[in-house]
Amino acid sequence: WGDEGKGKIIDVLTEQADMVVRTQGGNNAGHTVYVGKDKYVLHLIPSGILRSRKQCVIGNGVVLDPIGLVAELDGLAKLGVKVTSGPRGNLFISETAHIVFPWHRELDGLREQNRGANKIGTTKRGIGPTYGDKIARVGLRMIDLVNPERFAVKLKERLKDNNAQIRALGGKPLSYAKI
């Protein structure tokens, strides 16, 4: 049953649902689902994606790592799972879901390292720092990607603030061009 059996229970309930919504969390954890003899490991995408005629939603409470999402989509495609978007698609992402950026992972790692013997055991995937930005109302969201000019301004602003924190924690600042 694995991680408290959540994946198994959701998979069973998914059989009777039209829509499966991931409401919170990030890609720091995942669950394994078996459909017949096929094994699927999911982190961000709801397990309903494995069943036909189900609509899956990554909700606004999720902190979404775009790199992790693309890797998960690629993995599903290799296993023959069709994921589509649009009005008749099977995967939808809230425009207000917050995005995990490289500085979130960097800050997560630096903070953990600086705790010394008091480490909390973070996965260093940036989930906590992304939620911190969400709560502080400074995080970037999926909707921010729609307007490239506005996104560039917001990205530079957030990177400047986060690079100051990274420096203060003894890390090397990140490059805007690389991000």
Side-chain angles (χ1 to χ4, degrees):
W1 284 65
D3 180 28
E4 302 169 25
K6 290 184 290 191
K8 179 78 171 171
I9 297 296
I10 295 301
D11 187 51
V12 168
L13 294 173
T14 296
E15 290 181 54
Q16 301 168 12
D18 294 324
M19 185 175 281
V20 183
V21 181
R22 172 91 189 263
T23 60
Q24 48 77 37
N27 68 331
N28 55 326
H31 60 270
T32 302
V33 177
Y34 289 90
V35 178
K37 293 182 180 182
D38 297 323
K39 176 182 173 181
Y40 302 90
V41 180
L42 301 166
H43 297 277
L44 287 166
I45 300 173
S47 63
I49 205 73
L50 303 174
R51 302 189 181 278
S52 63
R53 298 184 305 277
K54 305 295 179 185
Q55 291 184 322
C56 296
V57 179
I58 297 175
N60 71 327
V62 174
V63 292
L64 195 150
D65 182 337
I67 295 168
L69 178 62
V70 169
E72 194 166 328
L73 289 168
D74 288 346
L76 287 170
K78 287 177 186 170
L79 295 169
V81 176
K82 187 176 180 184
V83 179
T84 59
S85 61
R88 290 191 169 91
N90 62 351
L91 180 64
F92 302 87
I93 300 172
S94 171
E95 63 187 20
T96 57
H98 280 254
I99 304 169
V100 177
F101 281 91
W103 62 75
H104 293 120
R105 289 187 290 277
E106 183 69 17
L107 287 168
D108 207 359
L110 287 168
R111 289 173 181 160
E112 182 76 345
Q113 176 183 318
N114 288 336
R115 285 185 180 99
N118 298 317
K119 289 181 169 57
I120 60 172
T122 177
T123 60
K124 300 177 189 160
R125 292 194 185 188
I127 306 306
T130 306
Y131 273 116
D133 281 357
K134 177 182 173 103
I135 299 306
R137 299 181 183 164
V138 296
L140 296 173
R141 303 172 302 164
M142 292 300 291
I143 190 70
D144 293 321
L145 299 173
V146 173
N147 182 317
E149 293 81 23
R150 186 178 68 217
F151 175 69
V153 170
K154 287 183 172 194
L155 180 64
K156 286 177 185 173
E157 178 183 301
R158 295 306 310 135
L159 182 60
K160 180 182 175 188
D161 290 348
N162 283 285
N163 271 340
Q165 290 181 53
I166 289 168
R167 275 189 211 94
L169 292 169
K172 182 180 175 190
L174 302 175
S175 159
Y176 172 82
K178 195 170 184 179
I179 291 173

